[in-house]
Amino acid sequence: MKIRDIRSKDISNTISVEGEVSTINEIRPKLKTAAYMCNICEGIVCLPVEGSEIGKPVHCENESCGKRSDFIHLEDKSSKTDSQQIEIKELDNICDPRSLIVHLEGDLVDTIKIEDKIVVIGVLKAHFQSTSTTGDFVLEANSVEKMKEKKVVSDNKEGTDSSGEIQIIREIIDQLRLSSPSDKVLLEDIYREASNLHIGRERAEKYIAKLRRQGCAYLPDEKHLRALW
Ligand SMILES: [Zn+2]
């Protein structure tokens, strides 16, 4: 599923999402079960922790007590696991990549690096700040797999790493824009700069066509290109 296609109706479903890791946060301890002690009989009640909420028991589970009581949270008797929040963004060099928060737990913590391209399978949840009516989509990961780098057969010149070269074209355009007050760039200038970097005109034309298809650039007239990033 594409990150941009995620909607509220997908909450609670198991989905699979591809993306590039853009943020990795600190590893933090997370409560799995919370232990409480009854104030009256000192019996212990363990509750599973759902999502980010810690529920407090209302009635004591101890049969001889069963009273409505105050409960004290017992930090050292509560079970914990490692957790880590990361963010992934859409792949393919698109201009406005959307991102998604992913929660990793247990063995999944610390298994990835920034810029890794991964496939995450998990359950989609919605997280809300306490007073807000608008929340965030969060993917609670069950599995994380690194995507295999696509090996391009390089028996002809077209087969070289095209995502690297398209990046070079974008950088050329960025450079040329700096000296163009109207933000328009001459196509011929792009081809010339590209050829200086050993990207032939035919390939450069192909990359520009790709940028236009992705909605990242358009041609205001025959000779110029305007970038939209
Ligand atoms: Zn009790």
Side-chain angles (χ1 to χ4, degrees):
M1 174 159 204
K2 284 190 181 151
I3 292 175
R4 64 184 56 222
D5 294 333
I6 293 174
R7 296 290 182 273
S8 295
K9 65 175 168 48
D10 303 311
I11 291 169
S12 302
N13 290 346
T14 298
I15 60 171
S16 163
V17 177
E18 288 179 0
E20 179 185 310
V21 179
S22 54
T23 313
I24 300 180
N25 290 325
E26 299 298 326
I27 298 171
R28 302 169 119 172
K30 184 181 177 185
L31 286 175
K32 288 214 76 139
T33 59
Y36 292 90
M37 188 178 71
C38 169
N39 239 353
I40 299 166
C41 71
E42 300 195 340
I44 289 174
V45 181
C46 280
L47 291 183
V49 175
E50 293 287 338
S52 54
E53 299 287 308
I54 306 184
K56 236 186 170 185
V58 182
H59 291 276
C60 181
E61 285 175 6
N62 190 345
E63 278 180 25
S64 60
C65 170
K67 293 202 173 69
R68 232 182 142 86
S69 143
D70 266 341
F71 290 86
I72 303 160
H73 182 212
L74 300 175
E75 164 78 57
D76 57 336
K77 289 209 163 52
S78 303
S79 69
K80 295 161 203 88
T81 184
D82 292 320
S83 78
Q84 187 172 38
Q85 179 173 311
I86 65 166
E87 219 169 297
I88 59 172
K89 62 173 184 160
E90 289 176 320
L91 300 171
D92 295 335
N93 254 331
I94 38 185
C95 313
D96 62 334
R98 308 289 172 83
S99 46
L100 177 68
I101 298 168
V102 177
H103 280 177
L104 307 177
E105 261 186 46
D107 294 343
L108 295 179
V109 158
D110 223 16
T111 54
I112 42 136
K113 300 190 299 291
I114 288 280
E115 290 189 352
D116 275 352
K117 295 176 174 61
I118 57 172
V119 180
V120 186
I121 299 174
V123 180
L124 188 71
K125 298 277 175 72
H127 280 203
F128 294 91
Q129 302 292 338
S130 55
T131 54
S132 174
T133 54
T134 314
D136 291 308
F137 288 121
V138 173
L139 189 57
E140 307 272 2
N142 294 325
S143 85
V144 174
E145 218 174 290
K146 284 183 197 168
M147 288 167 73
K148 297 203 175 61
E149 292 290 330
K150 276 184 204 138
K151 290 227 168 61
V152 184
V153 185
S154 53
D155 56 359
N156 62 38
K157 281 180 185 156
E158 298 293 315
T160 45
D161 173 16
S162 68
S163 70
E165 288 192 340
I166 203 164
Q167 194 53 40
I168 293 172
I169 297 285
R170 289 172 71 114
E171 280 161 18
I172 290 171
I173 295 169
D174 280 336
Q175 279 302 316
L176 294 169
R177 280 164 104 179
L178 292 177
S179 51
S180 161
S182 64
D183 208 30
K184 286 196 295 192
V185 177
L186 261 176
L187 284 167
E188 285 305 323
D189 288 345
I190 302 174
Y191 298 141
R192 194 190 58 243
E193 294 295 324
S195 133
N196 290 342
L197 297 167
H198 309 290
I199 300 174
R201 187 185 181 108
E202 210 175 287
R203 284 198 339 262
E205 281 176 350
K206 218 176 65 187
Y207 297 135
I208 286 171
K210 190 172 179 192
L211 288 172
R212 290 170 62 197
R213 277 200 307 278
Q214 291 174 343
C216 300
Y218 71 98
L219 306 184
D221 57 61
E222 279 176 17
K223 290 185 175 165
H224 291 88
L225 174 137
R226 180 171 276 154
L228 297 172
W229 61 83

Short mmCIF file of all heavy atoms in Angstrom, two decimals, residues 38-43 59-62 64-67 69 71, ligand 1:
data_model
loop_
_atom_site.label_atom_id
_atom_site.label_comp_id
_atom_site.label_asym_id
_atom_site.label_seq_id
_atom_site.Cartn_x
_atom_site.Cartn_y
_atom_site.Cartn_z
N CYS A 38 -3.30 -3.26 45.25
CA CYS A 38 -4.51 -2.78 45.90
C CYS A 38 -4.14 -2.14 47.24
O CYS A 38 -3.37 -2.70 48.01
CB CYS A 38 -5.46 -3.96 46.12
SG CYS A 38 -6.85 -3.56 47.18
N ASN A 39 -4.70 -0.98 47.46
CA ASN A 39 -4.40 -0.22 48.67
C ASN A 39 -4.96 -0.85 49.93
O ASN A 39 -4.48 -0.62 51.03
CB ASN A 39 -5.03 1.18 48.53
CG ASN A 39 -3.99 2.25 48.64
OD1 ASN A 39 -2.84 1.95 48.94
ND2 ASN A 39 -4.39 3.49 48.38
N ILE A 40 -5.99 -1.70 49.74
CA ILE A 40 -6.66 -2.27 50.90
C ILE A 40 -6.05 -3.62 51.30
O ILE A 40 -5.61 -3.80 52.42
CB ILE A 40 -8.18 -2.41 50.62
CG1 ILE A 40 -8.76 -1.01 50.33
CG2 ILE A 40 -8.90 -3.08 51.80
CD1 ILE A 40 -10.14 -1.02 49.73
N CYS A 41 -5.99 -4.57 50.32
CA CYS A 41 -5.50 -5.90 50.68
C CYS A 41 -4.06 -6.15 50.25
O CYS A 41 -3.48 -7.18 50.51
CB CYS A 41 -6.40 -6.99 50.08
SG CYS A 41 -6.21 -7.11 48.30
N GLU A 42 -3.47 -5.23 49.52
CA GLU A 42 -2.11 -5.32 49.01
C GLU A 42 -1.94 -6.43 47.98
O GLU A 42 -0.83 -6.89 47.71
CB GLU A 42 -1.09 -5.44 50.15
CG GLU A 42 -1.15 -4.23 51.07
CD GLU A 42 0.07 -4.12 52.00
OE1 GLU A 42 0.76 -5.14 52.19
OE2 GLU A 42 0.31 -3.02 52.51
N GLY A 43 -3.08 -6.93 47.43
CA GLY A 43 -3.01 -7.89 46.33
C GLY A 43 -2.53 -7.19 45.07
O GLY A 43 -2.65 -5.97 44.94
N HIS A 59 -11.65 -2.30 40.20
CA HIS A 59 -11.95 -3.18 41.33
C HIS A 59 -10.78 -4.11 41.58
O HIS A 59 -10.11 -4.52 40.64
CB HIS A 59 -13.20 -4.03 41.03
CG HIS A 59 -14.44 -3.22 40.99
ND1 HIS A 59 -15.15 -2.88 42.13
CD2 HIS A 59 -15.12 -2.66 39.96
CE1 HIS A 59 -16.20 -2.15 41.80
NE2 HIS A 59 -16.21 -2.01 40.48
N CYS A 60 -10.58 -4.49 42.82
CA CYS A 60 -9.53 -5.45 43.16
C CYS A 60 -9.95 -6.84 42.68
O CYS A 60 -11.10 -7.22 42.79
CB CYS A 60 -9.30 -5.45 44.66
SG CYS A 60 -8.01 -6.58 45.15
N GLU A 61 -8.98 -7.58 42.07
CA GLU A 61 -9.31 -8.92 41.56
C GLU A 61 -9.20 -9.99 42.64
O GLU A 61 -9.59 -11.13 42.43
CB GLU A 61 -8.37 -9.27 40.40
CG GLU A 61 -8.75 -8.53 39.12
CD GLU A 61 -7.75 -8.78 38.00
OE1 GLU A 61 -6.84 -9.61 38.18
OE2 GLU A 61 -7.90 -8.15 36.94
N ASN A 62 -8.64 -9.66 43.74
CA ASN A 62 -8.50 -10.59 44.86
C ASN A 62 -9.89 -10.89 45.44
O ASN A 62 -10.59 -10.00 45.91
CB ASN A 62 -7.60 -9.92 45.91
CG ASN A 62 -7.20 -10.88 47.00
OD1 ASN A 62 -7.80 -11.95 47.14
ND2 ASN A 62 -6.21 -10.50 47.77
N SER A 64 -11.14 -12.30 48.01
CA SER A 64 -11.49 -11.99 49.40
C SER A 64 -11.59 -10.49 49.63
O SER A 64 -12.00 -10.05 50.69
CB SER A 64 -10.44 -12.60 50.34
OG SER A 64 -9.18 -12.05 50.03
N CYS A 65 -11.20 -9.73 48.60
CA CYS A 65 -11.25 -8.27 48.76
C CYS A 65 -12.30 -7.71 47.80
O CYS A 65 -13.42 -7.38 48.21
CB CYS A 65 -9.87 -7.67 48.50
SG CYS A 65 -9.82 -5.88 48.38
N GLY A 66 -11.97 -7.67 46.50
CA GLY A 66 -12.93 -7.26 45.47
C GLY A 66 -13.44 -5.85 45.64
O GLY A 66 -14.46 -5.48 45.08
N LYS A 67 -12.74 -5.07 46.39
CA LYS A 67 -13.25 -3.73 46.68
C LYS A 67 -12.80 -2.72 45.62
O LYS A 67 -11.81 -2.90 44.94
CB LYS A 67 -12.76 -3.28 48.05
CG LYS A 67 -13.33 -4.09 49.19
CD LYS A 67 -13.26 -3.32 50.49
CE LYS A 67 -13.98 -4.06 51.60
NZ LYS A 67 -13.23 -5.33 51.97
N SER A 69 -10.98 0.34 45.00
CA SER A 69 -9.87 0.77 45.84
C SER A 69 -8.97 1.69 45.04
O SER A 69 -9.11 1.81 43.83
CB SER A 69 -9.11 -0.48 46.31
OG SER A 69 -7.75 -0.25 46.37
N PHE A 71 -5.25 2.20 43.59
CA PHE A 71 -4.18 1.27 43.23
C PHE A 71 -2.88 2.02 43.04
O PHE A 71 -2.86 3.14 42.52
CB PHE A 71 -4.54 0.52 41.95
CG PHE A 71 -5.66 -0.46 42.14
CD1 PHE A 71 -6.98 -0.07 42.04
CD2 PHE A 71 -5.37 -1.78 42.46
CE1 PHE A 71 -8.01 -0.96 42.23
CE2 PHE A 71 -6.40 -2.69 42.64
CZ PHE A 71 -7.72 -2.29 42.52
ZN ZN B 1 -7.82 -5.68 47.32
#
